[in-house]
Structure formats: structure tokens, C-alpha cells
Amino acid sequence: MPDFSFLLLHVESPAASAKFYNELLGIPIIEQSPTFAMLPLRDGVMLGLWSRATVEPKTAGQPGNSEMAFTVSDAAAVEETHTAWKRGGLAIAQAPTRMDFGTTFVALDPDGHRLRVFAPEAA
């Protein structure tokens, strides 16, 4: 089976998106060109930011049709992250909410990609 190695987002500006994720997640930009940027996530998986105008084959999807999810320890950490991200200027698509899987909120990156933060329901 092939190794999972990239999460690719199609973005308007790879440089602006790389700066956004660098500041939001505190991860370095390890590659950057006019059409692509790359940041390390974890365990060998990279976040690739590819210029929407140069993706081949052309994409038909719209930002916001999928999500990146980030797990935190508990509902208080969801609230803290929500406050920090909102204070940092991120658009919030869903305020902190208790759902069947735990407590969550959804923010949007500059291109409208969903960023879900959640604390799983304790078993």
C-alpha cells in the first residue's frame, strides 16, 4: 500500500496560505515557489499548498467542501483555541458546539477551507 504523505489544498496564493499556516500552527515553511508551498505536519505528512490556477488537472471542487481536523484535550481547550483563533482574525463558521462526537468549532482559512477543532467525547 502506498504511504500517505501529503494533504494538498488548492489555494489562491500559496505564499499567503503558507504564512497563514506557519503563524496559526507554528510550523515552518520548508519549500516555497510562486505556485506551491510545503509545511510539515507530523509523522512525515506534509501540507502542500498548490496554486488553484496551476493545478493539473483543473479542480472542480470548492473550498469548504472538506475539512482539516485538529484534536485538543478537552472542551476547555476547544474554547481556548476558539478564542485565540477568533482574536487572531479567523472567520468562524461554527461557534463552539457540543455534538455527538464531542465539543467542536469550525474556523475558515483565507481560501474558505474548514479547520475543525474538537475534543472527543470521553468514553
Side-chain angles (χ1 to χ4, degrees):
M1 172 190 250
D3 289 334
F4 175 68
S5 58
F6 269 89
L7 171 63
L8 293 169
L9 297 179
H10 303 159
V11 299
E12 187 65 32
S13 168
S17 291
K19 181 179 186 295
F20 171 83
Y21 283 104
N22 166 259
E23 292 173 357
L24 183 70
L25 303 177
I27 54 177
I29 301 165
I30 60 173
E31 183 180 321
Q32 193 164 356
S33 75
T35 62
F36 186 79
M38 183 168 59
L39 299 89
L41 291 175
R42 59 185 298 180
D43 301 329
V45 176
M46 300 293 167
L47 174 60
L49 304 166
W50 196 351
S51 169
R52 188 177 297 121
T54 63
V55 169
E56 290 293 337
K58 296 292 182 203
T59 184
Q62 297 296 314
N65 288 342
S66 58
E67 298 181 352
M68 264 197 296
F70 303 90
T71 307
V72 295
S73 59
D74 55 32
V78 170
E79 292 285 348
E80 291 168 11
T81 306
H82 171 261
T83 299
W85 286 14
K86 189 173 180 181
R87 190 178 313 123
L90 274 73
I92 303 298
Q94 179 186 41
T97 304
R98 185 177 159 94
M99 299 183 76
D100 61 348
F101 57 84
T103 303
T104 187
F105 80 92
V106 176
L108 302 175
D109 79 1
D111 289 280
H113 298 288
R114 292 174 170 221
L115 308 175
R116 181 176 298 277
V117 174
F118 74 101
E121 190 69 33

